[in-house]
Every structure is written in structure tokens, then in C-alpha cells.
Amino acid sequence: MATGESGDGPYTYASAGVDIDRGNALVDRIRASVRSTARAGADAEIGGFGGLFDIKAAGFKDPVLVAANDGVGTKVKVAIDTGLHDTVGIDLVAMSVNDLVVQGAEPLFFLDYFASGKLEVEVAASVVEGIAEGCRQAGAALIGGETAEMPGLYADGDYDLAGFAVGAVERAEILPAKDIGVGDVLLGLASSGVHSNGYSLVRRLVSDHRFTFEDPAPYQPGRSLGRALLEPTRIYVKPLLAAIRETKAVKALAHITGGGITENLPRVLPAGTAARIDLAAIPVLPVFRWLAGLGRIEEAEMLRTFNCGIGMVVVASAADADRVAAVLEGAGEIVVRLGEIVAGDGSAHVVYDGALDLSW
């Protein structure tokens, strides 16, 4: 039998670039963070072949399960390039649990997948600790995950993430409701930043204009550009569940991700209707003004690429809108009245009035 050029062996998995001991060290390192996400229905222990969840213990009577999965996109490359790994885990959780709550579902548990060329325990632990923080914000138990070390597929230093969330909603409370109609009010919840969409364009602009992530953020004094761009995605779960349960008046929710308001809001609108939005009501964040000015990005492109300052849209009747807004504001959300649902003419699902404030 031929031997390898580097010697006669004996060969080991570690000599091929995969170190099982590093994986075991990571499990030990993150165990306390994972335990901190325990909730009714799950003890959030890791190490078994599968994670267990007792849905009856979570208090549901006639539940429908809702599942979602997502990643962080090329925002993870910003984390890699800056060496700041402590917040992308929050993004990973946010992207899935915000999709669950728009159907009225309470997130129950979360699982993660971390793939790299060479497992760096401190880097992976920082990411997973961020995932645990996201789970605590969402009220979900982190009940398992997978760490894959794949030399030759990923370059050393690179990694990618995927997240999987499962929630439950009582059958009679699934959103969107069937009584959405003309005259219903659209409320917007402010975003925390770029969230986790549009980073391929963001990174292109930063590179083409010769910025570095170590430079001061032009739109946020006192922070580096990299740290400012890594501001984690806002998790809206607990305020929205409070509004849903306390008011019984939330008709629909739309998570504003890739595609912006233009592509995401129509997903919850019934046939024959459209959304009319006053663009001047959107609290455009400084980061979006900076990006628009830097790239001379037209308004329509901004609206279908970025959230522009609105991370979630809430639909409620005109009679209930103020009550819903009050609960959300009491839970710490910034709420703006964006517009209303109108009769559709078949030509557009979202009709914009006015203009975004993109002045820089």
C-alpha cells in the first residue's frame, strides 16, 4: 500500500485536520451557557444524540408546531474579518424566532450548526454564547447543535452558521387572522440596524470606498465601523407575544428581512388588498442614510434590500391600534404608525407615499 508523502504514518483523524478533542473541549466550554437557556419543557442539557422537549409541560392545549431555519448570510464574514464573534449568534437566533412569532408562535427550542475548516474553540464558544443570549431573549431552550470541522471545504479562520427553531401556537390563534381588511392600521417596530440582510452590498460599499472595519463608524461616533455593522438583529418575540396575548387584537405580523417592506409585507395581505405606507413616517437609521449616500442607492432599491429602520410590521384594526401600540411601547419597542390597508387594484401590493429621509 502506498504511503503519504509526509511520512509513513500512522495516520490519524487529527493528522487529516479534524481534532475530536477540540470538539469535546468546546462542549465543555459552552455547557453553562446552554444550561442558562432552560425553560419549561426542556432542561437545555447537551451531549445526547438528540434534544428532548415536553410540549405538554410548556402549557399548550391544542398546539400546532411551527418550524423555521435560517443563517446569518455574509454578515458572518464581517465577524470573521473583525475578529468580533460575540453577536452573530444573536443574529442567528433572531432570524428564525422572528419568523416564528409572525405566525403567533412562541419559540420553544433552538438548534445550531457551526461549520469551519479548523475548529477554534474560543471563536466557536463566543458564537455559541451569543446563540445562548439570543435564546434567552426569545425564551427558547438551546437543546442541541452540531459542530462540523471540514478542512479543505472551509479555509482556516472561516466558518458558517445555520439555525433551526421550533415553536408552538394554539390552533385557534394562528396568524395571520382571516379578518384582515381595508382600514386596518399598519404599525412599524423600529429595527436596531441593518439586521442580517444586505451585507453583500454593505461589504462591497465598504471595500470599494476603501474603508476598513477598524475605521471609526461615520454614522456612529465612538464605535468602530465593524462593531457598528455587527449590531445584532432585534428579537421582537417577547413584546409581540405580550401584545398578542394581552390585546387579542393583533391580526398579522410581517418580519422585514431580505426584500424589505416591498417584498415581505404582501406575504400577509389577503387578495384584493394593498398596503399604503407613508415613507416619511419611517425612522430611517443613520446607517441607512450613510449607505444610501455612499452608494448613491435609489430609494426603491433601498426599500427592497434593507429594512431601512423598520424590522417588523404589525396589523391591527383602527379601533385597536392604539391599544396594541401601548403594550408594545410598554415592552420597550419604538412604534410608529406607517399607514393602512387599502383596496388593491392588482398593480401593486405596497403603495408608497412621500419619500424616505435619506439625507446624509
Side-chain angles (χ1 to χ4, degrees):
M1 179 179 294
T3 59
E5 293 180 2
S6 60
D8 294 335
Y11 285 90
T12 65
Y13 208 5
S15 72
V18 180
D19 191 332
I20 294 172
D21 291 336
R22 282 200 296 263
N24 292 335
L26 175 62
V27 172
D28 290 339
R29 174 79 157 71
I30 65 176
R31 197 177 298 277
S33 291
V34 173
R35 283 176 178 160
S36 72
T37 70
R39 54 152 292 157
D43 58 14
E45 287 290 339
I46 56 173
F49 287 99
L52 302 177
F53 192 93
D54 183 350
I55 196 167
K56 185 178 292 186
F60 289 87
K61 297 179 177 60
D62 183 24
V64 174
L65 294 179
V66 185
N69 71 294
D70 210 334
V72 181
T74 59
K75 188 173 186 176
V76 76
K77 184 62 173 168
V78 180
I80 292 167
D81 289 347
T82 59
L84 302 172
H85 308 283
D86 55 333
T87 58
V88 288
I90 300 174
D91 290 296
L92 186 68
V93 176
M95 294 305 290
S96 287
V97 297
N98 283 342
D99 280 352
L100 294 184
V101 75
V102 300
Q103 305 213 239
E106 174 187 339
L108 301 177
F109 59 87
F110 190 84
L111 301 100
D112 68 273
Y113 176 76
F114 180 99
S116 63
K118 178 182 179 181
L119 180 61
E120 300 290 347
V121 173
E122 289 302 313
V123 170
S126 184
V127 172
V128 176
E129 286 162 3
I131 292 171
E133 171 59 24
C135 286
R136 289 190 293 269
Q137 290 183 25
L142 179 56
I143 65 171
E146 173 67 11
T147 301
E149 197 170 17
M150 295 185 282
L153 186 58
Y154 293 91
D156 284 354
D158 283 350
Y159 62 84
D160 199 9
L161 305 171
F164 309 84
V166 174
V169 56
E170 297 291 357
R171 193 178 305 273
E173 298 171 1
I174 296 173
L175 297 179
K178 298 187 183 301
D179 61 342
I180 299 170
V182 173
D184 284 344
V185 170
L186 302 170
L187 301 173
L189 305 189
S191 66
S192 56
V194 184
H195 285 186
S196 296
N197 299 102
Y199 275 85
S200 292
L201 177 55
V202 171
R203 290 171 50 246
R204 176 68 180 271
L205 289 170
V206 169
S207 174
D208 286 357
H209 289 81
R210 302 188 183 282
F211 284 94
T212 73
F213 292 128
E214 290 74 34
D215 290 337
Y219 59 91
Q220 197 170 80
R223 300 184 91 184
S224 69
L225 180 57
R227 177 57 82 182
L229 288 173
L230 285 171
E231 181 68 31
T233 306
R234 189 164 182 82
I235 293 176
Y236 298 98
V237 169
K238 290 182 180 179
L240 286 174
L241 287 177
I244 290 169
R245 292 165 178 171
E246 291 179 29
T247 69
K248 308 291 185 185
V250 174
K251 293 189 176 186
L253 300 165
H255 184 198
I256 308 305
T257 56
I261 293 175
T262 303
E263 301 290 340
N264 286 287
L265 185 51
R267 296 165 67 179
V268 301
L269 299 180
T273 65
R276 181 173 289 277
I277 289 179
D278 177 11
L279 292 177
I282 295 177
V284 180
L285 297 176
V287 61
F288 297 115
R289 295 175 182 172
W290 178 67
L291 290 169
L294 198 64
R296 302 187 303 280
I297 306 173
E298 295 182 356
E299 182 182 81
E301 184 68 12
M302 290 293 296
L303 285 165
R304 70 189 305 269
T305 302
F306 299 111
N307 67 66
C308 291
I310 295 295
M312 187 74 68
V313 176
V314 182
V315 181
S317 72
D320 293 321
D322 287 345
R323 190 160 54 95
V324 171
V327 173
L328 290 166
E329 289 170 343
E333 297 300 322
I334 297 173
V335 184
V336 296
R337 190 161 178 147
L338 294 175
E340 63 180 356
I341 295 179
V342 298
D345 60 7
S347 61
H349 291 291
V350 179
V351 179
Y352 293 117
D353 294 326
L356 288 176
D357 181 5
L358 295 174
S359 57
W360 175 252

